[in-house]
Amino acid sequence: MKKTLWTRNYTLLIAASALGAAGGIMGGFALSFLVFDETGSTLASALIVAIQLVPYFVLPLVIAPWMDRLPRKPFLVGGDVINGVLYLLAGVYLLNFEFSYVGYLGFSLLLASLGSFDELAYNSIYPKLIPEGMEQKGYAVSGTLYPVLKVLLMPLAAVAMDALGVAVLLLIQGGLSLLAALVESRIRLHEEKRMDAQGFRLKIWWADIREAAAYLKQERGLQSIYTYMAVTNGVGNGYGSVLVAFFRATPGFTAAMYSLFSVAEFIGRTLGGIVQYRIKVPEKKKFPFIFGVYQTYEVMDMCLLWLPYPLMLVNRGICGFLGNNSATMRQAAVQRYIPETMRARINAFESMLIMAACSLLTLAVGALGEVLDYRLCVTLCGAVSMAACWLTIWRRRKDVKKIYEAAPEAADAK
């Protein structure tokens, strides 16, 4: 019998992911412009993004030891149910009351707290639903799914935002999240509890945290990958609000033109996903490839807003192609490398590091957007990320290579 990636469980998870992502894309697009339109400030927009990241820094570490000992499916389903209900309530609120910036700050903090549980559960359960030996294909699909949906829905969201309003988009998002939870509940997965007779006590929780910290301390390659991803994701989140301001405030540019960035990235990411799905990159060539991708990506960011608009689209297309390839290889290699019994805890440490950097750098870039030219601000972001790449990925290249070049059977034995 021919082995296939598309098992029942994997298909259900991808379907649920598509539903959840579809709602998030439309609602997130509308809210990003709503905040800037209401405040006229890149710093105010950046503060929204930053406060959403705070729970991702704190809560994963609290819940991860339990998640490594308890079934992860209930976390996944429950997170989507609660998120769906909250988005429905938010939509109803906006239909009847005026937008409140302070209120939205609190709402964002609550949503992010719940979302941190859902994301950790998804990242921890996803490798268990990929058939053995299909890791690269599995992550190629998940890496392509979001940009495909983004290109289909971002232009629609731009039109719907004016035609229907933000409130209706949030109601749609809430309904899709509930539907995603229903699909996830159909996944059949045997997960054992790893508890002693006295249950899960604080002493055991602390011992599990120390065990994961000790493991990560000796893994210099993982440290380097996580540090670079923290910096590049941090500045990327930061200049997201700057891009919104640039297309909103610069003569000759519009929100619709900004939404077309997703089209260019979609084309690039789709081609990248096809490459990763059909072509297996030899382990020995993975590190040179991903390091070259990181350098190219940062250069592209540095010159993005200095280009004529058609070349901006080409720029995003190239970044989409290269970024999807490198992300697929990184996720497959890292998740395969981490021991399954520690996956939630190590992913939690990664989430904490990335979200801490995102919170700080998002505010820093948003503040720079208040005093610097938007083009110069994005260029500085790219330069910072490039420097981080050399100081982490290249400086500890031997340790990073070990992760990318690990054979599947060697990784599984860890």
Side-chain angles (χ1 to χ4, degrees):
M1 182 176 177
K2 186 178 179 180
K3 196 171 187 179
T4 178
L5 169 67
W6 295 97
T7 61
R8 181 181 188 274
N9 282 346
Y10 185 78
T11 301
L12 286 172
L13 184 62
I14 292 299
S17 300
L19 291 169
I25 289 168
M26 297 184 69
F29 178 87
L31 286 173
S32 66
F33 280 94
L34 175 66
V35 173
F36 182 74
D37 287 344
E38 292 287 341
T39 64
S41 169
T42 59
L43 181 57
S45 299
L47 183 58
I48 291 288
V49 176
I51 200 171
Q52 289 175 332
L53 300 178
V54 172
Y56 288 85
F57 172 66
V58 178
L59 295 181
L61 186 63
V62 175
I63 195 65
W66 275 275
M67 198 172 290
D68 274 336
R69 290 179 177 270
L70 294 172
R72 293 158 183 168
K73 178 183 168 182
F75 291 96
L76 188 67
V77 177
D80 279 336
V81 169
I82 298 173
N83 282 343
V85 171
L86 287 176
Y87 277 115
L88 289 175
L89 292 175
V92 172
Y93 175 88
L94 287 179
L95 284 174
N96 295 279
F97 302 96
E98 294 294 327
F99 173 81
S100 168
Y101 180 77
V102 175
Y104 184 61
L105 281 175
F107 179 70
S108 298
L109 186 61
L110 176 60
L111 277 181
S113 299
L114 296 170
S116 65
F117 290 96
D118 185 59
E119 181 175 309
L120 185 61
Y122 182 88
N123 290 336
S124 299
I125 203 173
Y126 188 81
K128 293 176 66 67
L129 301 181
I130 301 176
E132 185 179 354
M134 296 281 183
E135 292 88 357
Q136 184 171 313
K137 284 189 175 183
Y139 281 100
V141 172
S142 61
T144 306
L145 177 65
Y146 187 80
V148 168
L149 291 173
K150 197 172 182 180
V151 73
L152 294 175
L153 296 177
M154 282 280 275
L156 177 62
V159 175
M161 182 176 64
D162 295 327
L164 302 176
V166 175
V168 175
L169 291 183
L170 292 183
L171 292 175
I172 293 173
Q173 182 174 356
L176 290 175
S177 292
L178 292 177
L179 186 56
L182 178 62
V183 174
E184 290 165 349
S185 69
R186 306 296 296 172
I187 292 174
R188 297 171 185 169
L189 182 64
H190 176 69
E191 297 182 281
E192 295 182 356
K193 293 183 179 180
R194 296 190 302 113
M195 295 287 190
D196 60 20
Q198 296 181 353
F200 193 64
R201 295 162 293 154
L202 182 61
K203 183 178 180 180
I204 297 177
W205 177 87
W206 180 242
D208 284 352
I209 292 293
R210 293 181 62 185
E211 179 187 26
Y215 170 80
L216 190 56
K217 184 178 180 180
Q218 69 183 8
E219 292 291 341
R220 289 160 54 91
L222 288 176
Q223 293 174 29
S224 297
I225 292 172
Y226 291 166
T227 301
Y228 170 67
M229 295 310 300
V231 174
T232 192
N233 277 280
V235 297
N237 270 319
Y239 72 64
S241 60
V242 175
L243 290 179
V244 169
F246 176 83
F247 277 87
R248 203 59 156 175
T250 304
F253 291 91
T254 65
M257 292 173 70
Y258 174 69
S259 71
L260 289 178
F261 269 21
S262 63
V263 177
E265 291 180 357
F266 157 74
I267 294 172
R269 286 185 174 274
T270 301
L271 292 175
I274 292 173
V275 169
Q276 285 294 304
Y277 192 84
R278 297 191 174 275
I279 300 176
K280 183 174 177 59
V281 179
E283 275 70 20
K284 295 293 183 181
K285 295 183 179 180
K286 288 182 178 179
F287 177 80
F289 177 78
I290 63 106
F291 184 74
V293 166
Y294 294 157
Q295 295 298 291
T296 303
Y297 206 106
E298 308 310 348
V299 170
M300 288 292 184
D301 278 354
M302 290 170 67
C303 66
L304 175 62
L305 295 186
W306 302 97
L307 299 172
Y309 182 70
L311 291 183
M312 289 184 187
L313 297 179
V314 174
N315 180 302
R316 293 300 89 186
I318 293 174
C319 286
F321 175 81
L322 296 177
N324 195 12
N325 274 275
S326 65
T328 296
M329 283 190 282
R330 173 177 54 81
Q331 290 171 334
V334 169
Q335 295 303 321
R336 184 178 63 191
Y337 185 82
I338 299 171
E340 198 280 330
T341 55
M342 286 191 189
R343 188 170 289 136
R345 283 170 285 166
I346 300 302
N347 285 338
F349 278 117
E350 179 193 15
S351 176
M352 287 177 58
L353 180 61
I354 290 177
M355 293 309 167
C358 284
S359 296
L360 295 175
L361 292 174
T362 294
L363 287 175
V365 176
L368 283 176
E370 295 286 323
V371 298
L372 293 180
D373 178 84
Y374 296 144
R375 291 183 174 92
L376 181 58
C377 191
V378 173
T379 298
L380 289 175
C381 288
V384 168
S385 292
M386 179 174 287
C389 184
W390 280 90
L391 292 173
T392 56
I393 302 298
W394 181 255
R395 181 166 170 258
R396 291 184 173 176
R397 54 193 176 278
K398 290 183 179 179
D399 299 294
V400 176
K401 283 181 180 179
K402 181 177 66 174
I403 296 172
Y404 281 93
E405 295 177 0
E409 56 270 16
D412 292 340
K414 288 178 65 67

